[in-house]
């Protein structure tokens, strides 16, 4: 079974299963297709995280770490003192972490897959070279960037525009230069007889060959960034050559007898665990997010968990104390019957969380800031391609994609690729893709646990999830959505594990999230007391939330959440899949 955010990726992954490949062959094939068909949501210059369980490893959960670090030249001194920045820009090469997604996918295929690289990359190469029908949202995203591309990023205009015009939804678009990049990796692998050794050769080619050379040369030319300034990037070929993906142990917590496996605090994954631990102290009847009380408890819990994220999470953080019974009980006691409009991090290691440097949207605007917060209006992040880019800065929200796979042997993987959006940085002409912007999630403040430091991983929002029961993996789930990823997954898990919903029912149920937390994306502001809900929550529930003090933004009936999930029943071996109907794009398939 496969579920992903694009039907072509799901069909591609299922095709790998049909030819005898396993879940990891399928996930890698689907992921490289996602680079091609959802270029506004992810790209090879970006990042990814995954959580998987392999039968060969006794089904114990492991984290696939594809989040690159800050380059050696990325420091607070350079950005703040030499360039005069107060935040890492939200677009442009200064925001680029070392691209590690491709290496992570290739490492997974090398160590856990069964098919040769040529077989796995063939669909992505074909769609890049011969074309695929462009999604309405991709066409809208390119159209929103058209003016900016023509004025500031001519290499992006060359790739995405035809005679200065953006494509129309349904047009066939190609990316032959990226097809050439992938074919070069295949050629490197095919030069070695052994399958795994060949993939290792392709990984080395990615990190030390023409990709690294082209990135190094291209970023030396100053280009427009999200703050309106023109700067050169700092990433080098040495940064790329010295960075590799890795496997890590997950952070795990229990809820209603299930074990939930997430990344460490270099991702936002433990936010979901903190929230589940807090809510585990309430009865099932209190935890239905479709009710006024359930929605209120979810929103107030997420505010607390996200405040801890923003105060304590980072590349070298140890947040195990935030999951202890004593700490969770202290946080649960803060939840009142009315909504909080404060940032309330707790205390870790005797140190109270400090978010005093964070501005509200209104404070940022009054200080002369620019970007999507400048109007002081609520920004509802419901997916990329729905906001108009600033013609001078190119500032526009990006988003993410997701894929889940389970095979007949019991291997499961949940993976969230992102970054390297077509709107994040100028296209590198020789490569057909651009760099990511994950460094925007690091602060130019030395005391912050997520401070910008050379070699440190940014605290990413990418947050795949694996659910186990009695040590057996039963659910792989995830979603795009930036800061909303763990919020929407929380609703899914509450509904499935406590509410008795099927995965498809949980995905289709009305969604909500809080924005009363620090936005991980530039310009890093927050909206006190604000929450976003789908109108299908109903007027009575929404009015009740407003009476409790929540500042509600209605998002429309089918606007929030883009969850995918696959399931396995260990007692029967029965597999399942569920996909998001919003946007008519997500797709579940299997047999």
């Amino acid at each position: 079974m496969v579920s992903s955010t694009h039907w072509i990726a799901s069909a591609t992954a299922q095709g790998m299963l049909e030819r005898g490949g396993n879940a990891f062959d399928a996930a890698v094939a689907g992921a490289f297709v996602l680079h091609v068909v959802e270029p506004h949501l992810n790209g090879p210059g970006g990042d990814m995280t995954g959580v998987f369980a392999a039968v060969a490893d006794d089904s114990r959960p492991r984290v696939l770490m594809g989040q690159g670090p800050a380059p050696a030249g990325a420091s607070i001194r350079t950005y703040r003192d030499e360039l005069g920045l107060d935040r890492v820009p939200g677009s442009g090469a200064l925001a680029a972490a070392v691209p590690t997604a491709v290496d992570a996918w290739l490492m997974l295929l090398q160590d856990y897959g069964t098919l040769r690289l040529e077989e796995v990359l063939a669909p992505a190469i074909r769609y890049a070279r011969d074309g695929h029908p462009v999604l309405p949202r991709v066409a809208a995203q390119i159209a929103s960037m058209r003016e900016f591309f023509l004025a500031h990023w001519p290499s992006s205009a060359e790739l995405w525009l035809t005679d200065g015009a953006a494509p129309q939804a349904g047009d066939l678009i190609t990316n032959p230069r990226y097809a050439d990049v992938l074919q070069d990796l295949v050629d490197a692998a095919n030069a070695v007889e052994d399958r795994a050794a060949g993939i290792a050769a392709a990984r080395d080619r990615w990190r030390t060959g023409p990709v690294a050379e082209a990135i190094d040369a291209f970023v030396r030319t100053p280009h427009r960034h999200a703050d309106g300034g023109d700067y050169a990037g700092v990433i080098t070929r040495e940064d790329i050559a010295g960075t590799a993906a890795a496997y890590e142990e997950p952070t795990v917590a229990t809820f209603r007898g299930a074990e939930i496996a997430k990344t460490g605090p270099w991702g936002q994954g433990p936010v979901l665990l903190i929230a589940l631990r807090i809510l585990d102290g309430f009865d099932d009847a209190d935890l239905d997010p479709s009710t006024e009380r359930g929605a209120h408890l979810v929103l107030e819990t997420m505010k607390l968990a996200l405040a801890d994220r923003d105060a304590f999470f980072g590349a070298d953080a140890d947040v195990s104390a935030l999951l202890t019974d004593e700490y969770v009980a202290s946080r649960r006691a803060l939840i009142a019957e009315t909504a909080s409009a404060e940032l309330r991090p707790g205390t870790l290691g005797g140190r109270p969380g400090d978010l005093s440097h964070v501005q509200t949207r209104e404070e940022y605007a009054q200080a002369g800031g620019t970007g999507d917060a400048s109007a002081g209006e609520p920004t509802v992040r419901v997916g990329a391609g729905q906001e108009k880019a600033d013609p001078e800065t190119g500032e526009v929200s990006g988003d993410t994609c997701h894929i889940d796979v389970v095979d007949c042997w019991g291997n499961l993987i949940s993976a969230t690729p992102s970054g390297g959006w077509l709107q994040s940085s100028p296209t590198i002409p020789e490569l057909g893709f651009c760099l990511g912007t994950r460094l925007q999630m690091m602060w130019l403040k030395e005391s912050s646990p997520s401070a910008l430091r050379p070699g440190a991983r940014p605290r990413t929002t990418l947050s795949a999830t694996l659910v186990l029961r009695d040590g057996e993996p039963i659910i792989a789930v995830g979603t795009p959505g930036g800061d909303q990823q763990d919020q929407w997954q929380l609703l899914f898990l509450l509904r499935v594990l406590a509410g008795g919903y099927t995965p498809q029912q949980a995905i289709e149920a009305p969604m909500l999230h809080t924005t009363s937390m620090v936005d991980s994306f530039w310009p890093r502001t927050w909206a006190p007391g604000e929450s976003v809900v789908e109108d299908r929550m109903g007027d009575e529930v929404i009015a009740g939330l407003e009476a409790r003090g929540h500042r509600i933004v209605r998002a429309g009936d089918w606007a929030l959440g883009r969850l995918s999930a696959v399931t396995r029943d260990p007692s029967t071996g029965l597999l399942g899949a569920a996909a998001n109907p919003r946007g008519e794009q997500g797709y579940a398939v299997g047999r």
Side-chain angles (χ1 to χ4, degrees):
M1 290 280 187
V2 180
S3 184
S4 85
T5 50
H6 195 293
W7 66 87
I8 294 179
S10 294
T12 296
Q14 183 67 18
M16 294 295 145
L17 296 175
E18 296 287 352
R19 68 173 60 194
N22 66 17
F24 309 114
D25 299 308
V28 174
F32 276 94
V33 166
L34 285 172
H35 289 165
V36 178
V37 299
E38 291 195 310
H40 63 316
L41 304 180
N42 80 139
D47 28 54
M48 66 79 60
T49 69
V51 187
F52 68 95
V55 175
D57 287 341
D58 297 324
S59 297
R60 63 186 178 91
R62 301 194 77 188
V63 171
L64 176 61
M65 194 287 293
Q67 176 56 66
S75 68
I76 291 176
R77 183 182 65 82
T78 298
Y79 284 42
R80 187 183 64 193
D81 300 339
E82 295 183 12
L83 298 176
L85 300 171
D86 61 357
R87 294 168 172 83
V88 178
S91 67
L94 284 178
V98 180
T100 310
V102 167
D103 188 60
W105 286 118
L106 295 181
M107 181 181 72
L108 181 72
L109 183 66
Q110 174 186 338
D111 296 337
Y112 291 94
T114 64
L115 302 179
R116 292 188 66 88
L117 185 62
E118 183 174 27
E119 296 177 88
V120 172
L121 293 190
I125 293 173
R126 182 174 71 251
Y127 287 119
R129 197 174 303 285
D130 298 339
H132 61 92
V134 64
L135 291 169
R137 287 187 174 183
V138 180
Q141 187 75 86
I142 295 171
S144 78
M145 296 295 295
R146 174 187 171 276
E147 186 178 346
F148 182 80
F149 283 170
L150 291 170
H152 301 291
W153 292 357
S155 59
S156 296
E158 180 186 359
L159 175 61
W160 299 111
L161 306 178
T162 301
D163 297 326
Q168 298 297 307
D171 287 352
L172 285 181
I173 62 171
T174 63
N175 192 342
R177 289 171 182 166
Y178 182 46
D180 290 342
V181 170
L182 295 182
Q183 186 61 54
D184 183 63
L185 297 181
V186 168
D187 292 344
N190 283 345
V192 181
E193 183 175 351
D194 179 76
R195 187 198 74 89
I199 298 170
R203 293 178 63 194
D204 184 70
R205 180 73 170 170
W206 170 265
R207 296 197 302 265
T208 64
V211 169
E213 295 288 339
I215 292 172
D216 184 294
F218 183 77
V219 301
R220 296 178 187 275
T221 300
H223 54 271
R224 185 58 51 92
H225 282 59
D227 69 335
D230 293 335
Y231 317 102
V234 297
I235 193 170
T236 67
R237 71 192 75 177
E238 290 80 13
D239 292 316
I240 299 170
T243 298
Y247 303 114
E248 296 184 354
E249 293 300 311
T251 306
V252 180
T254 59
F255 175 79
R256 297 303 199 257
E259 304 95 48
I260 318 298
K262 302 289 289 185
T263 70
W266 56 269
Q268 72 169 342
V271 159
L272 179 60
L273 305 182
I274 294 171
L276 286 169
R277 293 276 286 120
I278 291 172
L279 292 171
D280 208 16
F282 294 94
D283 294 334
D284 286 353
D286 293 321
L287 298 183
D288 182 355
S290 298
T291 66
E292 176 193 326
R293 175 161 173 77
H296 172 72
L297 290 176
V298 164
L299 292 172
E300 293 305 293
T301 295
M302 285 309 308
K303 291 175 190 177
L304 295 171
L306 288 163
D308 281 343
R309 177 199 72 174
D310 294 319
F312 302 122
F313 285 22
D316 302 318
D318 178 1
V319 299
S320 56
L322 303 182
L323 295 169
T324 62
D325 290 345
E326 180 181 9
Y327 184 82
V328 167
S330 71
R331 301 297 274 166
R332 188 183 301 124
L334 294 176
I335 298 176
E337 292 301 317
T338 55
S340 170
E342 301 177 67
L343 293 176
R344 297 187 291 174
T347 298
L348 180 62
R351 179 176 66 88
D354 178 17
L355 297 177
S356 60
H357 57 289
V358 178
Q359 294 176 302
T360 66
R361 293 174 184 157
E362 290 77 9
E363 290 169 341
Y364 177 77
Q366 291 167 6
T370 59
D372 68 0
S374 61
E377 295 297 326
T379 299
V380 182
R381 296 193 184 278
V382 296
Q386 300 184 37
E387 296 176 86
K388 177 66 177 176
D390 187 301
E392 289 303 314
T393 68
E395 211 288 318
V396 68
S397 295
D399 208 338
T400 303
C401 45
H402 188 79
I403 186 168
D404 301 297
V405 187
V406 58
D407 65 27
C408 60
W409 298 285
N411 299 304
L412 276 87
I413 180 169
S414 169
T416 309
S418 187
W421 316 303
L422 65 86
Q423 65 273 20
S424 67
S425 194
T427 297
I428 300 165
E430 300 92 336
L431 306 180
F433 63 82
C434 60
L435 296 173
T437 62
R438 198 61 58 181
L439 297 190
Q440 68 181 294
M441 298 177 182
M442 305 181 89
W443 291 102
L444 302 183
K445 178 185 178 186
E446 287 87 350
S447 61
S448 171
S450 58
L452 179 66
R453 300 190 307 275
R457 276 181 274 172
R459 196 272 301 147
T460 179
T461 54
L462 306 181
S463 197
T465 300
L466 197 69
V467 181
L468 303 93
R469 193 177 294 279
D470 300 323
E472 290 283 342
I474 59 172
I475 301 173
V477 63
T479 180
D483 292 307
Q484 284 77 61
Q485 288 184 28
D486 283 311
Q487 300 197 60
W488 295 335
Q489 289 181 80
L490 175 64
L491 303 179
F492 174 90
L493 293 176
L494 290 176
R495 284 166 167 151
V496 170
L497 299 179
Y501 286 51
T502 68
Q504 190 63 45
Q505 289 172 331
I507 288 174
E508 293 184 11
M511 292 284 170
L512 75 160
H513 64 262
T514 185
T515 49
S516 187
M517 33 47 80
V518 183
D519 197 326
S520 294
F521 296 87
W522 187 88
R524 310 296 308 277
T525 57
W526 73 295
E530 183 184 279
S531 296
V532 184
V533 305
E534 287 187 324
D535 290 50
R536 291 184 299 124
M537 290 289 292
D539 292 341
E540 183 177 350
V541 171
I542 292 173
L545 292 173
E546 290 176 328
R548 289 175 180 264
H550 295 277
R551 182 175 154 227
I552 298 297
V553 176
R554 291 178 179 244
D557 283 341
W558 295 89
L560 306 179
R562 291 174 57 210
L563 288 122
S564 304
V566 296
T567 63
R568 181 177 185 271
D569 183 343
S571 65
T572 63
L574 184 66
L575 309 181
N580 170 52
R582 299 164 181 84
E584 299 178 337
Q585 184 178 319
Y587 192 64
V589 61
R591 74 174 178 90

